[in-house]
Amino acid sequence: MRLPADDRASSPYTGYTRAHWEAAADALLAAVEPYATPDRALYHLPGDRVSHSGRLSDGLEGYARTLLLAAFRRDETVLGRYAEGLAAGPGGVWPRITDRGQPLVEAASVALALRLTRPLLWDRLDDAVRQRTASWLADALTAEPWPCNWELFPVTVGGFLAEIGHREETARKAIDRGLERVEGWYVGDGWYTDGDGRKFDYYNGWAMHLYTVLHAWLADDGELLAVYGRRLSRHLADHARLFGGDGAPLRQGRSLTYRFATTAPLWLGALTGHTPLAAGETRRLASGALRYFLDGGAVDERGLLPLGWLGPDTSLVQNYSGPASPYWASKGFLGLLLPPGHEVWTAPEEPAPADRTDAAHPLPAPNWLLQSTRSDGVVRLHNHGSEDVRYDPYYTRLAYSTATAPLPSYDNSVVVGGEPGRTEIEPLGTGEGWIASRHTVRAGITVTSLVAVRGAVEVRAHLVAGAAAGTPVRVTGWPAGDGVRADLAPAAGLSARLTGTTGDGGSTLFVALARLTGERDPVPLTELVTVTVRETGGAQAGYEVRVSWAAGPEKVFRFTASAGRSAGPSWSVAPAPVSG
């Protein structure tokens, strides 16, 4: 991909300007053109992967997701090619939109693109083409979505159809129904769960906020935009912290092959005026992510985005992934809707959170703790509140980072009796420099976990309850990563091999020191923190963990038990006042 020369005057962190974004969009659109069918209604990208929806649906996905990129780029010549596809696709080439079918997802991209480019594309189509397209889209109004972010696809289609007056009453019912369903998943502080349960990941930004805010903005609904805009602004205060100093997003959750789609909510805040971020910080974060992927080889020798992260990576492939799935990365080009003179393009880049200072930032809604270090730009996510066992290992690990990828062999886990399971995660709170949760290993066995952090150092304490005496326990830490080193050392209850066994009392505490760092010659962990553990009696029967930082305050945490589970006591952990 050929890009303009870096501009370090206006973009000291990334070198990227609007011209780089335009060139990248143009290159991506040019690269997919040869893979269009002769009628331009389908884009069959190369590769031997076929999604569970089938090759025809995958071809529609290729059309719809690259159309979205063309809509943000607003190039009339390119849009003309997609107009040719509209002349054929809805007339029988495209698969019908049915209950919980992939075409429902792609219909949302088609509708959004048509709405955003109405004077350039929709208004120039023949009446017959418009009618066929509207009729094809209309099936999305009554198709049953999966109970997750899919609820917003009928909303997005309904917004366009209501605007053009096609089945307007049905469209408005679909909008109201979808927004009402999604409302039940809002948990506060700018965070949604992606359906029932505790499924927190980037779908907050590239789906839940994106479609709700864009719908309100395009409908010119000030009251609705005020509600969704406030939520977006609050979310961006956290979302900005999910990028490393090198621009890398955190590798957590599903659909990570969408890559720089993670930047979509950043641009959305600037586009609608609902953001706490300065214009220069917004561009630094977004351009940092784009550069991370382009420099890292995310675009192959054909100019295409393969399924993967930097290069092809089958560990990121889900059953719904097809050859064109990565082109939801198109959402990352939302910023091109902002005119060249907008301050987000003209203001000098400003430092991102990972550039500014070491931080331990608690996120109570998902019960996450974000730990970042300025010296190496690494961001670590301590996950004590999000799970979706369908997509393990990208949900159920204790920790994730911008510099490492989770392993199938159970990094960042507590393995009890050979079982690494982590389900029924129960948040126990997070605060300044700490986070805690309880999870189930298997019936009757729980692990109550505490993490305390300072700088790059972590103290990890795990209380295993309900396991028979003599049950082996193994604690694992960070996987290896490019340019970073991982350390893990025993502190209590563990051998030098990070293994131990449960005792006779029904509960046993295991403590380890961990670190993921880009420093070449870091100070030994034991010189940075000291941990002492003692059993307590009386009303506070349990365990006390005292964490003494070499260059910071001492913290005390107490594990206490209470009745509440048929299998035995229910353990919790919380900070305690520091005493002598």
Side-chain angles (χ1 to χ4, degrees), residues 172-195:
R172 297 202 180 280
K173 286 181 180 178
I175 292 168
D176 293 342
R177 182 180 64 248
L179 294 181
E180 181 180 358
R181 289 179 178 178
V182 169
E183 191 66 20
W185 299 324
Y186 183 67
V187 298
D189 292 339
W191 285 87
Y192 294 85
T193 177
D194 188 18

Side-chain angles (χ1 to χ4, degrees), residues 12 33 39 112 145 319 395:
E33 184 185 358
D39 59 11
L112 180 57
N319 64 1
Y395 274 93

Side-chain angles (χ1 to χ4, degrees), residues 132-188:
R132 288 197 300 269
T133 302
S135 296
W136 181 82
L137 288 169
D139 283 342
L141 303 178
T142 53
E144 181 66 25
W146 288 103
C148 60
N149 66 87
W150 279 48
E151 298 282 4
L152 292 170
F153 301 141
V155 172
T156 303
V157 173
F160 173 63
L161 294 181
E163 181 180 289
I164 64 173
H166 184 87
R167 297 188 61 184
E168 190 169 355
E169 182 178 351
T170 305
R172 297 202 180 280
K173 286 181 180 178
I175 292 168
D176 293 342
R177 182 180 64 248
L179 294 181
E180 181 180 358
R181 289 179 178 178
V182 169
E183 191 66 20
W185 299 324
Y186 183 67
V187 298

Side-chain angles (χ1 to χ4, degrees), residues 193-194 196-201 252-254 318-320 383 385-397 400 410 419-426 439-442:
T193 177
D194 188 18
D196 293 336
R198 299 188 58 84
K199 304 176 182 72
F200 299 102
D201 64 8
Q252 179 273 339
R254 63 189 178 98
Q318 275 102 30
N319 64 1
Y320 55 80
N383 169 37
S386 179
E387 69 170 310
D388 187 341
V389 294
R390 297 172 302 165
Y391 300 107
D392 180 82
Y394 284 91
Y395 274 93
T396 56
R397 296 291 189 265
Y400 299 90
Y410 295 98
E419 174 57 60
R422 188 176 185 229
T423 62
E424 301 177 38
I425 299 173
E426 302 173 59
H439 72 265
T440 297
V441 177
R442 60 176 181 266

Side-chain angles (χ1 to χ4, degrees), residues 51 70 90 126 181 190 198 271 311 345 364 401 411 481 490 517 545 571:
S51 78
D126 292 341
R181 289 179 178 178
R198 299 188 58 84
L271 182 67
W345 294 119
S401 86
D411 60 282
T517 180
V545 177
W571 288 87

Side-chain angles (χ1 to χ4, degrees), residues 241-560:
R241 297 176 179 271
L242 302 180
F243 298 87
D246 61 355
L250 276 160
R251 281 192 252 187
Q252 179 273 339
R254 63 189 178 98
S255 301
L256 292 179
T257 193
Y258 302 158
R259 297 176 170 100
F260 39 84
T262 54
T263 67
L266 300 169
W267 296 123
L268 183 64
L271 182 67
T272 62
H274 291 277
T275 179
L277 309 177
E281 183 181 359
T282 294
R283 192 172 82 254
R284 184 269 179 271
L285 287 163
S287 292
L290 180 63
R291 178 150 204 164
Y292 168 79
F293 285 108
L294 295 187
D295 284 357
V299 175
D300 67 17
E301 68 281 359
R302 298 163 297 190
L304 301 175
L305 290 170
L307 286 160
W309 184 249
L310 293 179
D313 185 350
T314 57
S315 72
L316 296 181
V317 175
Q318 275 102 30
N319 64 1
Y320 55 80
S321 302
S325 291
Y327 283 85
W328 242 20
S330 297
K331 294 181 176 184
F333 289 86
L334 181 69
L336 291 179
L337 293 181
L338 292 160
H342 191 281
E343 63 175 346
V344 80
W345 294 119
T346 61
E349 283 184 344
E350 296 184 27
D355 300 323
R356 294 196 287 260
T357 185
D358 290 1
H361 181 70
L363 278 64
N367 207 55
W368 287 354
L369 180 69
L370 297 177
Q371 175 193 13
S372 61
T373 41
R374 181 176 179 270
S375 62
D376 54 15
V378 176
V379 177
R380 310 149 191 85
L381 161 61
H382 297 281
N383 169 37
H384 289 254
S386 179
E387 69 170 310
D388 187 341
V389 294
R390 297 172 302 165
Y391 300 107
D392 180 82
Y394 284 91
Y395 274 93
T396 56
R397 296 291 189 265
L398 284 158
Y400 299 90
S401 86
T402 57
T404 61
L407 301 174
S409 54
Y410 295 98
D411 60 282
N412 286 311
S413 299
V414 182
V415 183
V416 182
E419 174 57 60
R422 188 176 185 229
T423 62
E424 301 177 38
I425 299 173
E426 302 173 59
L428 297 177
T430 181
E432 185 180 353
W434 69 275
I435 192 166
S437 66
R438 181 172 53 243
H439 72 265
T440 297
V441 177
R442 60 176 181 266
I445 300 178
T446 63
V447 176
T448 303
S449 297
L450 161 76
V451 177
V453 306
R454 184 173 180 84
V457 180
E458 310 161 28
V459 175
R460 300 183 178 188
H462 306 289
L463 187 136
V464 178
T471 300
V473 173
R474 180 167 61 94
V475 173
T476 65
W478 290 104
D482 292 338
V484 291
R485 60 173 284 171
D487 299 314
L488 189 65
L494 294 165
S495 70
R497 295 172 62 86
L498 282 304
T499 60
T501 56
T502 55
D504 295 325
S507 62
T508 309
L509 188 66
F510 303 91
V511 185
L513 309 180
R515 176 171 55 190
L516 180 70
T517 180
E519 293 185 36
R520 293 185 177 181
D521 189 23
V523 176
L525 287 171
T526 53
E527 294 182 21
L528 296 173
V529 64
T530 302
V531 179
T532 56
V533 175
R534 71 181 182 92
E535 294 191 46
T536 58
Q540 295 294 322
Y543 296 86
E544 180 185 89
V545 177
R546 188 175 294 261
V547 179
S548 302
W549 299 105
E554 184 175 78
K555 294 287 185 75
V556 175
F557 301 89
R558 289 186 180 139
F559 288 78
T560 55

